[in-house]
Amino acid sequence: MKPIILPPDSSGTHDPVRLRRPARLYTLLGGNGSGKSLFMHEMARLNQEDAYLVSAVTGGIPGKVTGSLSQLMAALSLDEEKVRFNTLKSIWEETFPGNKIDVIKGKARIRNRSGKDSIGIRSLSRGEKAALYYIAATLLAPSQALILVDSPTLFLHPTAVGILWDRIERTRNDCRFVYDTYDANFASGQTRRTAIWIKDYNAADHSWRYQIIADGELPDEIFLQMMGSRRPILFIEGDTSHSIDMRLYSVVFPEFTVKPLGSCDKVIESTRTMQSLRTMHRIESYGIVDRDRRSEQEVEYLRAKHILVPEVAEIENIFLSSGVVETMAEIRGKNPKKVLKAVRQEVIHKFEQMLEAQALQHTRHRMKRDVERKIDARFTCITALELHIKSLIKKLKPRETYDQLLAEFRRMARGGDYDGILRVFNHKPVFTGSCVAKALGYSGTDDYVAGVISAMKHQDEKAARLRLEIRKLFS
Protein backbone atom coordinates (compact mmCIF):
# COMPACT_ATOMS: atom_id res chain seq x y z
CA MET A 1 0.00 0.00 0.00
CA LYS A 2 0.98 3.61 -0.47
CA PRO A 3 2.59 5.62 2.36
CA ILE A 4 0.33 7.61 4.69
CA ILE A 5 1.13 11.25 5.37
CA LEU A 6 0.52 12.53 8.91
CA PRO A 7 0.26 16.23 9.85
CA PRO A 8 3.37 18.13 11.11
CA ASP A 9 4.71 17.07 14.52
CA SER A 10 5.45 20.15 16.65
CA SER A 11 7.98 18.19 18.72
CA GLY A 12 10.00 17.39 15.58
CA THR A 13 10.80 19.20 12.34
CA HIS A 14 7.29 20.72 11.95
CA ASP A 15 7.09 18.97 8.56
CA PRO A 16 4.45 16.42 7.54
CA VAL A 17 5.39 12.89 8.60
CA ARG A 18 5.47 10.23 5.88
CA LEU A 19 4.77 6.68 7.11
CA ARG A 20 6.33 4.46 4.45
CA ARG A 21 5.23 1.19 6.10
CA PRO A 22 1.88 2.18 7.61
CA ALA A 23 -0.45 0.01 9.65
CA ARG A 24 -3.83 -0.82 8.16
CA LEU A 25 -5.97 0.40 11.07
CA TYR A 26 -5.48 3.57 13.12
CA THR A 27 -7.45 5.17 15.95
CA LEU A 28 -7.07 8.87 16.76
CA LEU A 29 -7.25 9.57 20.49
CA GLY A 30 -7.20 12.79 22.47
CA GLY A 31 -9.06 14.95 24.94
CA ASN A 32 -11.31 17.90 24.20
CA GLY A 33 -9.35 20.77 22.67
CA SER A 34 -6.43 18.60 21.57
CA GLY A 35 -7.13 19.29 17.89
CA LYS A 36 -8.13 15.73 17.04
CA SER A 37 -10.82 16.63 14.50
CA LEU A 38 -8.50 19.13 12.84
CA PHE A 39 -5.85 16.40 12.73
CA MET A 40 -8.17 14.10 10.79
CA HIS A 41 -9.16 16.80 8.33
CA GLU A 42 -5.51 17.68 7.82
CA MET A 43 -4.84 13.99 7.11
CA ALA A 44 -7.60 14.13 4.51
CA ARG A 45 -5.96 17.17 2.90
CA LEU A 46 -2.43 15.73 2.92
CA ASN A 47 -3.57 12.38 1.52
CA GLN A 48 -6.02 14.05 -0.86
CA GLU A 49 -5.78 11.58 -3.72
CA ASP A 50 -6.49 8.58 -1.49
CA ALA A 51 -8.47 10.13 1.39
CA TYR A 52 -12.14 9.29 1.79
CA LEU A 53 -13.73 11.03 4.78
CA VAL A 54 -16.88 9.38 6.18
CA SER A 55 -19.14 11.06 8.76
CA ALA A 56 -22.56 9.87 9.88
CA VAL A 57 -22.89 13.22 11.68
CA THR A 58 -22.66 15.43 8.60
CA GLY A 59 -23.48 12.78 6.03
CA GLY A 60 -20.76 14.11 3.78
CA ILE A 61 -17.87 12.40 2.05
CA PRO A 62 -15.86 15.37 0.70
CA GLY A 63 -14.20 14.99 -2.64
CA LYS A 64 -15.51 11.54 -3.50
CA VAL A 65 -19.24 11.12 -2.93
CA THR A 66 -21.65 13.66 -1.54
CA GLY A 67 -25.25 13.23 -0.63
CA SER A 68 -27.66 11.76 1.83
CA LEU A 69 -28.04 8.18 2.95
CA SER A 70 -30.90 7.82 0.46
CA GLN A 71 -28.63 8.85 -2.37
CA LEU A 72 -25.92 6.44 -1.28
CA MET A 73 -28.45 3.63 -1.14
CA ALA A 74 -29.76 4.58 -4.56
CA ALA A 75 -26.22 4.42 -5.97
CA LEU A 76 -25.81 0.89 -4.60
CA SER A 77 -29.25 -0.38 -5.61
CA LEU A 78 -28.77 0.86 -9.18
CA ASP A 79 -25.55 -1.11 -9.54
CA GLU A 80 -26.28 -3.40 -12.50
CA GLU A 81 -24.49 -6.43 -11.03
CA LYS A 82 -25.93 -5.77 -7.53
CA VAL A 83 -22.67 -7.12 -6.04
CA ARG A 84 -22.16 -4.20 -3.66
CA PHE A 85 -25.82 -4.09 -2.63
CA ASN A 86 -25.76 -7.80 -1.85
CA THR A 87 -22.66 -7.20 0.28
CA LEU A 88 -24.46 -4.37 2.10
CA LYS A 89 -27.41 -6.70 2.65
CA SER A 90 -25.11 -9.38 4.12
CA ILE A 91 -23.35 -6.98 6.52
CA TRP A 92 -26.64 -5.38 7.60
CA GLU A 93 -28.33 -8.69 8.32
CA GLU A 94 -25.29 -9.95 10.26
CA THR A 95 -25.21 -6.77 12.35
CA PHE A 96 -28.97 -6.79 12.98
CA PRO A 97 -30.04 -10.47 12.97
CA GLY A 98 -33.67 -10.98 12.08
CA ASN A 99 -33.83 -7.84 9.91
CA LYS A 100 -33.91 -8.10 6.13
CA ILE A 101 -33.17 -5.46 3.52
CA ASP A 102 -34.39 -5.57 -0.09
CA VAL A 103 -35.00 -3.31 -3.06
CA ILE A 104 -38.69 -2.90 -3.83
CA LYS A 105 -39.66 -0.73 -6.82
CA GLY A 106 -36.20 0.80 -6.88
CA LYS A 107 -36.13 1.72 -3.18
CA ALA A 108 -34.52 0.03 -0.20
CA ARG A 109 -37.02 -1.44 2.26
CA ILE A 110 -36.33 -3.05 5.66
CA ARG A 111 -38.33 -5.87 7.23
CA ASN A 112 -38.12 -6.84 10.89
CA ARG A 113 -38.24 -10.33 12.42
CA SER A 114 -41.99 -10.73 11.80
CA GLY A 115 -41.47 -10.12 8.10
CA LYS A 116 -45.00 -8.77 7.70
CA ASP A 117 -44.37 -5.07 7.15
CA SER A 118 -41.48 -3.25 5.53
CA ILE A 119 -40.33 0.30 6.21
CA GLY A 120 -38.24 2.82 4.34
CA ILE A 121 -34.85 3.96 5.57
CA ARG A 122 -36.32 7.25 6.78
CA SER A 123 -38.22 5.29 9.46
CA LEU A 124 -35.11 3.61 10.89
CA SER A 125 -33.68 4.57 14.27
CA ARG A 126 -30.65 6.88 14.38
CA GLY A 127 -28.38 3.94 15.18
CA GLU A 128 -29.72 1.88 12.28
CA LYS A 129 -29.34 4.84 9.91
CA ALA A 130 -25.75 5.36 11.07
CA ALA A 131 -24.91 1.68 10.54
CA LEU A 132 -26.51 1.67 7.10
CA TYR A 133 -24.69 4.86 6.19
CA TYR A 134 -21.29 3.48 7.24
CA ILE A 135 -21.83 0.27 5.27
CA ALA A 136 -22.99 2.06 2.13
CA ALA A 137 -20.30 4.75 2.27
CA THR A 138 -17.41 2.34 2.77
CA LEU A 139 -18.63 0.03 0.02
CA LEU A 140 -18.58 3.00 -2.38
CA ALA A 141 -15.02 3.93 -1.43
CA PRO A 142 -12.50 3.50 -4.29
CA SER A 143 -9.90 0.75 -4.22
CA GLN A 144 -6.87 1.39 -1.95
CA ALA A 145 -8.63 4.31 -0.25
CA LEU A 146 -7.62 5.79 3.09
CA ILE A 147 -11.03 5.77 4.81
CA LEU A 148 -11.21 8.34 7.64
CA VAL A 149 -14.21 7.68 9.90
CA ASP A 150 -15.60 10.36 12.19
CA SER A 151 -17.25 9.01 15.40
CA PRO A 152 -17.56 5.31 14.42
CA THR A 153 -19.64 4.43 17.51
CA LEU A 154 -22.04 7.37 17.48
CA PHE A 155 -25.73 6.35 17.85
CA LEU A 156 -24.76 2.63 17.73
CA HIS A 157 -25.57 0.13 20.45
CA PRO A 158 -22.31 -1.20 22.00
CA THR A 159 -23.10 -4.78 20.99
CA ALA A 160 -23.41 -3.73 17.32
CA VAL A 161 -20.19 -1.70 17.11
CA GLY A 162 -17.68 -4.56 17.11
CA ILE A 163 -19.44 -6.80 14.61
CA LEU A 164 -20.22 -3.89 12.25
CA TRP A 165 -16.67 -2.56 11.96
CA ASP A 166 -15.05 -6.00 12.00
CA ARG A 167 -17.18 -7.00 9.02
CA ILE A 168 -16.62 -3.70 7.17
CA GLU A 169 -12.85 -3.95 7.68
CA ARG A 170 -12.81 -7.55 6.42
CA THR A 171 -14.94 -6.64 3.41
CA ARG A 172 -12.76 -3.65 2.47
CA ASN A 173 -9.42 -5.29 3.22
CA ASP A 174 -7.95 -3.36 0.29
CA CYS A 175 -8.38 -0.11 2.23
CA ARG A 176 -6.85 1.48 5.32
CA PHE A 177 -9.01 2.93 8.09
CA VAL A 178 -8.50 5.85 10.48
CA TYR A 179 -11.04 6.31 13.30
CA ASP A 180 -11.67 9.49 15.29
CA THR A 181 -13.36 8.45 18.53
CA TYR A 182 -13.96 9.39 22.16
CA ASP A 183 -15.10 5.85 23.00
CA ALA A 184 -12.52 4.26 25.34
CA ASN A 185 -13.90 0.74 24.81
CA PHE A 186 -13.60 1.06 21.03
CA ALA A 187 -10.05 2.38 21.36
CA SER A 188 -8.71 -0.03 23.97
CA GLY A 189 -10.67 -3.09 22.92
CA GLN A 190 -9.50 -3.19 19.31
CA THR A 191 -5.97 -4.49 19.74
CA ARG A 192 -5.38 -4.72 16.00
CA ARG A 193 -5.44 -0.94 15.67
CA THR A 194 -2.51 1.41 16.06
CA ALA A 195 -3.35 4.43 18.21
CA ILE A 196 -2.26 7.99 17.50
CA TRP A 197 -2.44 9.94 20.74
CA ILE A 198 -2.93 13.62 19.91
CA LYS A 199 -1.81 15.65 22.92
CA ASP A 200 -2.28 19.24 21.76
CA TYR A 201 -2.45 21.56 18.75
CA ASN A 202 -0.23 24.55 18.00
CA ALA A 203 -2.38 26.95 15.99
CA ALA A 204 0.52 29.36 15.34
CA ASP A 205 2.36 26.97 13.02
CA HIS A 206 -0.50 24.53 12.36
CA SER A 207 1.23 21.54 13.97
CA TRP A 208 0.38 18.90 16.57
CA ARG A 209 2.20 17.14 19.40
CA TYR A 210 1.32 13.47 19.09
CA GLN A 211 2.55 9.94 19.82
CA ILE A 212 2.06 6.73 17.83
CA ILE A 213 1.19 3.76 20.09
CA ALA A 214 1.48 0.45 18.24
CA ASP A 215 -0.21 -2.62 19.75
CA GLY A 216 0.06 -1.40 23.33
CA GLU A 217 -2.18 -0.41 26.20
CA LEU A 218 -3.48 3.13 26.37
CA PRO A 219 -1.65 5.34 28.86
CA ASP A 220 -3.71 6.15 31.96
CA GLU A 221 -3.65 9.84 31.07
CA ILE A 222 -5.36 9.39 27.71
CA PHE A 223 -7.77 6.81 29.17
CA LEU A 224 -8.95 9.31 31.79
CA GLN A 225 -9.33 12.01 29.12
CA MET A 226 -11.65 9.72 27.20
CA MET A 227 -14.15 9.21 30.01
CA GLY A 228 -16.31 12.04 28.75
CA SER A 229 -19.21 9.64 28.22
CA ARG A 230 -19.51 9.41 32.04
CA ARG A 231 -20.09 5.68 31.76
CA PRO A 232 -19.11 3.67 34.84
CA ILE A 233 -15.61 2.16 34.77
CA LEU A 234 -14.88 -1.53 35.11
CA PHE A 235 -11.29 -2.33 36.09
CA ILE A 236 -10.21 -5.85 35.13
CA GLU A 237 -7.18 -8.10 35.23
CA GLY A 238 -5.03 -8.85 32.18
CA ASP A 239 -4.02 -6.63 29.27
CA THR A 240 -5.42 -5.58 25.90
CA SER A 241 -3.21 -7.84 23.80
CA HIS A 242 -3.00 -11.34 25.26
CA SER A 243 -5.59 -12.03 27.94
CA ILE A 244 -9.18 -13.19 27.54
CA ASP A 245 -10.46 -10.68 30.13
CA MET A 246 -10.65 -7.57 27.93
CA ARG A 247 -12.18 -9.37 24.96
CA LEU A 248 -14.81 -11.05 27.10
CA TYR A 249 -15.82 -8.39 29.62
CA SER A 250 -16.08 -5.53 27.09
CA VAL A 251 -18.82 -7.56 25.36
CA VAL A 252 -20.53 -8.92 28.49
CA PHE A 253 -20.62 -5.47 30.15
CA PRO A 254 -21.06 -3.03 27.22
CA GLU A 255 -22.49 -0.33 29.52
CA PHE A 256 -19.06 0.01 31.17
CA THR A 257 -15.80 1.57 30.06
CA VAL A 258 -13.49 -1.40 30.57
CA LYS A 259 -9.88 -0.81 31.66
CA PRO A 260 -7.37 -3.70 32.02
CA LEU A 261 -4.79 -3.16 34.77
CA GLY A 262 -2.78 -6.38 34.85
CA SER A 263 -2.78 -7.76 38.39
CA CYS A 264 -5.70 -8.35 40.75
CA ASP A 265 -3.99 -6.19 43.39
CA LYS A 266 -4.00 -3.22 41.03
CA VAL A 267 -7.67 -3.80 40.20
CA ILE A 268 -8.59 -3.78 43.89
CA GLU A 269 -6.42 -0.74 44.63
CA SER A 270 -7.72 1.29 41.65
CA THR A 271 -11.38 0.50 42.42
CA ARG A 272 -10.94 1.57 46.03
CA THR A 273 -9.20 4.78 44.94
CA MET A 274 -11.91 5.68 42.43
CA GLN A 275 -14.61 4.95 45.00
CA SER A 276 -12.92 7.15 47.61
CA LEU A 277 -12.75 10.06 45.13
CA ARG A 278 -16.29 9.69 43.82
CA THR A 279 -17.44 13.00 45.30
CA MET A 280 -14.93 14.66 42.96
CA HIS A 281 -15.64 12.87 39.67
CA ARG A 282 -19.10 11.25 40.27
CA ILE A 283 -18.16 8.26 38.09
CA GLU A 284 -19.21 4.82 39.30
CA SER A 285 -16.36 2.32 39.35
CA TYR A 286 -16.18 -1.43 39.82
CA GLY A 287 -13.56 -4.12 39.51
CA ILE A 288 -13.49 -7.78 38.50
CA VAL A 289 -10.97 -10.26 39.89
CA ASP A 290 -10.81 -14.03 39.53
CA ARG A 291 -12.16 -15.96 42.47
CA ASP A 292 -9.02 -18.14 42.61
CA ARG A 293 -8.89 -19.84 46.03
CA ARG A 294 -10.60 -17.12 48.04
CA SER A 295 -12.91 -18.11 50.88
CA GLU A 296 -16.55 -17.01 51.04
CA GLN A 297 -15.57 -14.40 53.64
CA GLU A 298 -12.93 -12.93 51.33
CA VAL A 299 -15.37 -12.88 48.42
CA GLU A 300 -18.06 -11.10 50.43
CA TYR A 301 -15.53 -8.54 51.66
CA LEU A 302 -14.44 -7.74 48.08
CA ARG A 303 -18.02 -7.53 46.80
CA ALA A 304 -18.82 -5.01 49.53
CA LYS A 305 -15.97 -2.90 48.09
CA HIS A 306 -17.43 -2.90 44.52
CA ILE A 307 -15.10 -5.74 43.42
CA LEU A 308 -17.07 -8.33 41.43
CA VAL A 309 -15.99 -11.93 41.97
CA PRO A 310 -17.45 -14.66 39.73
CA GLU A 311 -18.88 -17.97 40.91
CA VAL A 312 -16.04 -19.77 39.09
CA ALA A 313 -12.42 -20.11 40.15
CA GLU A 314 -10.91 -18.43 37.07
CA ILE A 315 -12.03 -16.80 33.85
CA GLU A 316 -11.45 -19.95 31.77
CA ASN A 317 -14.08 -21.79 33.85
CA ILE A 318 -16.71 -19.36 32.54
CA PHE A 319 -16.44 -21.13 29.19
CA LEU A 320 -17.13 -24.46 30.91
CA SER A 321 -20.22 -23.23 32.81
CA SER A 322 -23.50 -25.01 32.08
CA GLY A 323 -25.35 -22.01 30.64
CA VAL A 324 -22.55 -21.04 28.26
CA VAL A 325 -21.93 -24.60 27.03
CA GLU A 326 -25.62 -25.31 26.41
CA THR A 327 -26.26 -22.00 24.62
CA MET A 328 -23.20 -22.47 22.41
CA ALA A 329 -24.37 -26.00 21.62
CA GLU A 330 -27.68 -24.56 20.34
CA ILE A 331 -25.84 -21.96 18.27
CA ARG A 332 -23.62 -24.67 16.76
CA GLY A 333 -26.55 -26.98 16.04
CA LYS A 334 -25.47 -29.58 18.61
CA ASN A 335 -27.45 -31.42 21.29
CA PRO A 336 -27.05 -29.18 24.40
CA LYS A 337 -27.68 -31.94 26.97
CA LYS A 338 -25.32 -34.38 25.25
CA VAL A 339 -22.50 -31.83 24.95
CA LEU A 340 -22.88 -30.63 28.55
CA LYS A 341 -22.95 -34.22 29.85
CA ALA A 342 -19.63 -34.99 28.11
CA VAL A 343 -18.00 -31.81 29.44
CA ARG A 344 -19.32 -32.35 32.98
CA GLN A 345 -18.08 -35.95 33.11
CA GLU A 346 -14.62 -34.94 31.94
CA VAL A 347 -14.25 -32.01 34.37
CA ILE A 348 -15.53 -34.02 37.35
CA HIS A 349 -13.18 -36.89 36.48
CA LYS A 350 -10.16 -34.58 36.33
CA PHE A 351 -11.20 -32.98 39.61
CA GLU A 352 -11.37 -36.44 41.24
CA GLN A 353 -7.83 -37.12 40.07
CA MET A 354 -6.56 -33.90 41.68
CA LEU A 355 -8.52 -33.77 44.94
CA GLU A 356 -5.48 -33.86 47.22
CA ALA A 357 -3.50 -31.36 45.13
CA GLN A 358 -6.43 -28.93 45.01
CA ALA A 359 -7.09 -29.24 48.76
CA LEU A 360 -3.40 -28.59 49.43
CA GLN A 361 -3.34 -25.48 47.20
CA HIS A 362 -6.44 -24.07 48.88
CA THR A 363 -4.95 -24.79 52.31
CA ARG A 364 -1.73 -23.03 51.30
CA HIS A 365 -3.70 -19.94 50.23
CA ARG A 366 -5.59 -19.79 53.52
CA MET A 367 -2.44 -20.29 55.58
CA LYS A 368 -0.67 -17.51 53.70
CA ARG A 369 -3.60 -15.14 54.24
CA ASP A 370 -3.94 -16.02 57.94
CA VAL A 371 -0.20 -15.66 58.57
CA GLU A 372 -0.28 -12.17 57.07
CA ARG A 373 -3.19 -11.26 59.34
CA LYS A 374 -1.90 -12.81 62.56
CA ILE A 375 1.69 -11.63 62.21
CA ASP A 376 0.59 -8.06 61.53
CA ALA A 377 0.95 -6.95 65.13
CA ARG A 378 3.32 -4.83 67.19
CA PHE A 379 6.11 -6.60 69.04
CA THR A 380 8.36 -5.04 71.65
CA CYS A 381 11.34 -7.29 70.89
CA ILE A 382 12.57 -10.07 68.59
CA THR A 383 11.93 -12.70 71.27
CA ALA A 384 8.26 -11.80 71.34
CA LEU A 385 8.10 -12.12 67.54
CA GLU A 386 9.82 -15.54 67.70
CA LEU A 387 7.39 -16.82 70.30
CA HIS A 388 4.46 -15.54 68.25
CA ILE A 389 5.68 -17.32 65.12
CA LYS A 390 6.23 -20.59 67.01
CA SER A 391 2.67 -20.46 68.29
CA LEU A 392 1.17 -19.98 64.82
CA ILE A 393 1.16 -23.67 63.92
CA LYS A 394 -1.34 -24.34 66.72
CA LYS A 395 -3.46 -21.31 65.83
CA LEU A 396 -3.51 -21.90 62.05
CA LYS A 397 -4.28 -25.64 62.17
CA PRO A 398 -3.21 -26.44 58.59
CA ARG A 399 -3.92 -30.18 58.88
CA GLU A 400 -7.45 -29.55 60.11
CA THR A 401 -8.09 -27.07 57.30
CA TYR A 402 -6.71 -29.50 54.71
CA ASP A 403 -8.86 -32.38 55.98
CA GLN A 404 -12.00 -30.22 55.93
CA LEU A 405 -11.35 -29.02 52.36
CA LEU A 406 -10.53 -32.51 51.13
CA ALA A 407 -13.76 -33.87 52.61
CA GLU A 408 -15.73 -31.03 51.02
CA PHE A 409 -14.13 -31.61 47.61
CA ARG A 410 -14.83 -35.34 47.81
CA ARG A 411 -18.51 -34.62 48.52
CA MET A 412 -18.61 -32.36 45.44
CA ALA A 413 -17.10 -35.05 43.24
CA ARG A 414 -19.33 -37.86 44.56
CA GLY A 415 -22.45 -35.71 44.31
CA GLY A 416 -21.66 -34.41 40.81
CA ASP A 417 -21.73 -30.81 42.07
CA TYR A 418 -20.53 -29.34 38.77
CA ASP A 419 -21.14 -25.69 39.69
CA GLY A 420 -19.35 -26.19 43.00
CA ILE A 421 -16.37 -27.80 41.27
CA LEU A 422 -16.05 -24.92 38.79
CA ARG A 423 -16.10 -22.56 41.76
CA VAL A 424 -13.04 -24.17 43.45
CA PHE A 425 -11.15 -25.92 40.62
CA ASN A 426 -8.09 -23.76 39.87
CA HIS A 427 -6.23 -25.56 37.08
CA LYS A 428 -5.99 -23.94 33.63
CA PRO A 429 -5.20 -27.19 31.76
CA VAL A 430 -8.72 -28.36 32.67
CA PHE A 431 -10.06 -25.91 30.10
CA THR A 432 -7.29 -25.97 27.49
CA GLY A 433 -7.25 -29.77 27.47
CA SER A 434 -11.01 -30.26 27.73
CA CYS A 435 -13.34 -31.77 25.15
CA VAL A 436 -15.62 -28.70 25.04
CA ALA A 437 -14.12 -27.19 21.88
CA LYS A 438 -14.17 -30.46 19.94
CA ALA A 439 -17.69 -31.28 21.12
CA LEU A 440 -18.88 -27.94 19.74
CA GLY A 441 -17.03 -28.30 16.43
CA TYR A 442 -14.13 -25.90 17.10
CA SER A 443 -10.49 -26.54 16.25
CA GLY A 444 -9.35 -25.71 19.78
CA THR A 445 -10.12 -23.72 22.91
CA ASP A 446 -8.80 -20.44 21.42
CA ASP A 447 -11.22 -20.89 18.53
CA TYR A 448 -14.03 -21.71 20.99
CA VAL A 449 -13.36 -18.58 23.08
CA ALA A 450 -13.39 -16.47 19.91
CA GLY A 451 -16.68 -18.13 18.93
CA VAL A 452 -18.35 -17.28 22.26
CA ILE A 453 -17.21 -13.66 22.09
CA SER A 454 -18.27 -13.34 18.45
CA ALA A 455 -21.70 -14.83 19.20
CA MET A 456 -22.31 -12.25 21.94
CA LYS A 457 -21.70 -9.37 19.52
CA HIS A 458 -24.96 -10.15 17.73
CA GLN A 459 -28.28 -8.65 18.74
CA ASP A 460 -30.36 -11.81 18.81
CA GLU A 461 -31.95 -13.90 21.55
CA LYS A 462 -29.04 -16.34 21.88
CA ALA A 463 -26.49 -13.53 22.18
CA ALA A 464 -28.58 -11.94 24.92
CA ARG A 465 -28.87 -15.31 26.67
CA LEU A 466 -25.10 -15.86 26.53
CA ARG A 467 -24.44 -12.46 28.10
CA LEU A 468 -27.08 -13.16 30.75
CA GLU A 469 -25.61 -16.58 31.61
CA ILE A 470 -22.19 -15.02 32.16
CA ARG A 471 -23.55 -12.04 34.10
CA LYS A 472 -25.43 -14.48 36.38
CA LEU A 473 -22.04 -15.78 37.51
CA PHE A 474 -21.41 -12.37 39.09
CA SER A 475 -24.74 -11.94 40.88
Side-chain angles (χ1 to χ4, degrees):
M1 289 187 174
K2 296 179 182 178
I4 291 177
I5 304 173
L6 298 181
D9 186 347
S10 59
S11 60
T13 62
H14 289 67
D15 294 325
V17 178
R18 183 178 291 269
L19 301 178
R20 298 190 180 279
R21 302 179 71 177
R24 184 168 168 257
L25 307 170
Y26 289 91
T27 304
L28 304 183
L29 311 174
N32 290 325
S34 63
K36 189 156 55 74
S37 295
L38 286 173
F39 189 96
M40 173 173 272
H41 283 83
E42 183 65 6
M43 280 190 72
R45 189 186 71 81
L46 292 170
N47 298 273
Q48 190 169 16
E49 183 179 343
D50 302 311
Y52 187 85
L53 185 60
V54 176
S55 173
V57 180
T58 64
I61 310 174
K64 306 299 177 186
V65 178
T66 56
S68 65
L69 172 57
S70 297
Q71 290 170 315
L72 290 176
M73 292 297 296
L76 288 173
S77 60
L78 290 174
D79 185 344
E80 289 185 5
E81 297 180 359
K82 296 288 191 298
V83 174
R84 287 185 296 189
F85 185 85
N86 288 336
T87 302
L88 176 142
K89 177 181 172 69
S90 173
I91 298 174
W92 172 265
E93 293 173 2
E94 183 177 343
T95 306
F96 301 101
N99 287 302
K100 303 293 181 183
I101 184 169
D102 293 299
V103 176
I104 301 175
K105 296 182 179 180
K107 293 184 178 181
R109 303 287 295 180
I110 288 79
R111 288 180 288 118
N112 60 19
R113 288 181 175 82
S114 68
K116 294 180 179 179
D117 300 312
S118 64
I119 59 173
I121 58 177
R122 292 180 182 273
S123 300
L124 294 174
S125 69
R126 289 198 301 178
E128 290 170 326
K129 287 178 182 176
L132 198 58
Y133 175 85
Y134 285 132
I135 300 168
T138 52
L139 288 177
L140 287 168
S143 177
Q144 307 294 312
L146 176 65
I147 301 177
L148 301 110
V149 185
D150 181 24
S151 303
T153 66
L154 192 64
F155 307 133
L156 295 173
H157 191 278
T159 57
V161 170
I163 193 166
L164 172 69
W165 287 110
D166 284 348
R167 181 63 194 276
I168 287 175
E169 290 166 3
R170 282 189 282 115
T171 301
R172 293 310 312 262
N173 59 12
D174 61 314
C175 296
R176 292 159 295 178
F177 289 79
V178 179
Y179 299 94
D180 176 2
T181 182
Y182 285 100
D183 190 315
N185 274 358
F186 185 81
S188 59
Q190 303 296 329
T191 56
R192 297 173 294 115
R193 298 187 177 123
T194 297
I196 302 178
W197 177 14
I198 301 162
K199 301 177 182 180
D200 55 54
Y201 170 61
N202 187 338
D205 59 7
H206 194 53
S207 65
W208 288 259
R209 186 166 61 93
Y210 58 90
Q211 174 185 345
I212 298 176
I213 306 171
D215 299 327
E217 292 187 24
L218 302 183
D220 289 344
E221 181 181 344
I222 185 61
F223 183 83
L224 291 171
Q225 285 181 0
M226 295 174 67
M227 296 193 314
S229 65
R230 313 301 289 179
R231 282 194 295 182
I233 304 173
L234 183 62
F235 296 115
I236 63 171
E237 299 178 80
D239 57 36
T240 58
S241 303
H242 304 103
S243 63
I244 298 172
D245 305 64
M246 180 66 191
R247 295 159 55 205
L248 177 66
Y249 293 139
S250 61
V251 179
V252 175
F253 301 100
E255 71 273 25
F256 285 88
T257 294
V258 182
K259 171 65 173 173
L261 295 177
S263 70
C264 65
D265 289 341
K266 195 166 183 183
V267 169
I268 295 169
E269 176 190 347
S270 298
T271 306
R272 284 175 174 171
T273 300
M274 286 294 289
Q275 282 295 318
S276 67
L277 298 175
R278 191 163 173 243
T279 55
M280 298 174 60
H281 53 65
R282 300 187 183 280
I283 298 174
E284 285 279 1
S285 59
Y286 296 84
I288 289 180
V289 296
D290 283 351
R291 189 184 192 92
D292 291 324
R293 300 175 181 90
R294 292 182 171 91
S295 66
E296 289 297 329
Q297 291 80 7
E298 290 177 280
V299 169
E300 289 307 313
Y301 173 81
L302 289 173
R303 287 173 175 169
K305 300 296 183 182
H306 279 215
I307 311 294
L308 307 179
V309 184
E311 288 296 305
V312 291
E314 53 196 4
I315 192 170
E316 288 82 1
N317 288 11
I318 288 175
F319 298 92
L320 294 170
S321 63
S322 301
V324 172
V325 171
E326 288 189 314
T327 305
M328 288 304 297
E330 288 186 34
I331 291 172
R332 301 287 287 180
K334 308 289 184 180
N335 184 315
K337 294 189 181 300
K338 184 177 180 180
V339 172
L340 181 59
K341 181 180 179 181
V343 174
R344 282 171 55 99
Q345 287 178 340
E346 182 183 55
V347 171
I348 293 172
H349 178 65
K350 288 182 177 179
F351 185 63
E352 287 176 321
Q353 292 178 318
M354 299 184 68
L355 287 175
E356 291 82 3
Q358 285 293 305
L360 181 59
Q361 289 299 319
H362 278 258
T363 302
R364 179 180 175 275
H365 170 86
R366 294 193 185 185
M367 294 304 103
K368 182 179 178 182
R369 177 206 62 193
D370 289 347
V371 166
E372 289 173 349
R373 288 178 180 175
K374 294 181 183 300
I375 209 168
D376 187 17
R378 294 185 180 183
F379 300 96
T380 56
C381 64
I382 187 62
T383 302
L385 176 59
E386 285 179 330
L387 290 172
H388 178 72
I389 291 175
K390 287 179 182 178
S391 69
L392 283 180
I393 189 68
K394 293 181 179 179
K395 294 178 180 179
L396 294 173
K397 301 178 180 177
R399 171 71 65 173
E400 183 178 320
T401 300
Y402 172 81
D403 288 342
Q404 288 175 349
L405 286 167
L406 185 57
E408 180 185 349
F409 291 174
R410 281 175 174 159
R411 282 195 298 272
M412 287 180 178
R414 285 197 300 267
D417 183 2
Y418 187 62
D419 293 341
I421 289 171
L422 292 182
R423 189 167 57 248
V424 300
F425 200 1
N426 256 97
H427 190 60
K428 292 187 187 298
V430 171
F431 174 61
T432 55
S434 72
C435 67
V436 64
K438 184 177 180 181
L440 291 170
Y442 289 100
S443 61
T445 50
D446 288 345
D447 192 24
Y448 169 49
V449 167
V452 173
I453 293 170
S454 175
M456 284 190 291
K457 290 180 179 179
H458 292 280
Q459 295 189 66
D460 57 12
E461 182 270 333
K462 289 187 176 65
R465 196 197 316 167
L466 264 180
R467 291 191 293 272
L468 178 61
E469 291 293 342
I470 295 176
R471 292 176 76 117
K472 280 162 57 177
L473 296 173
F474 292 87
S475 59

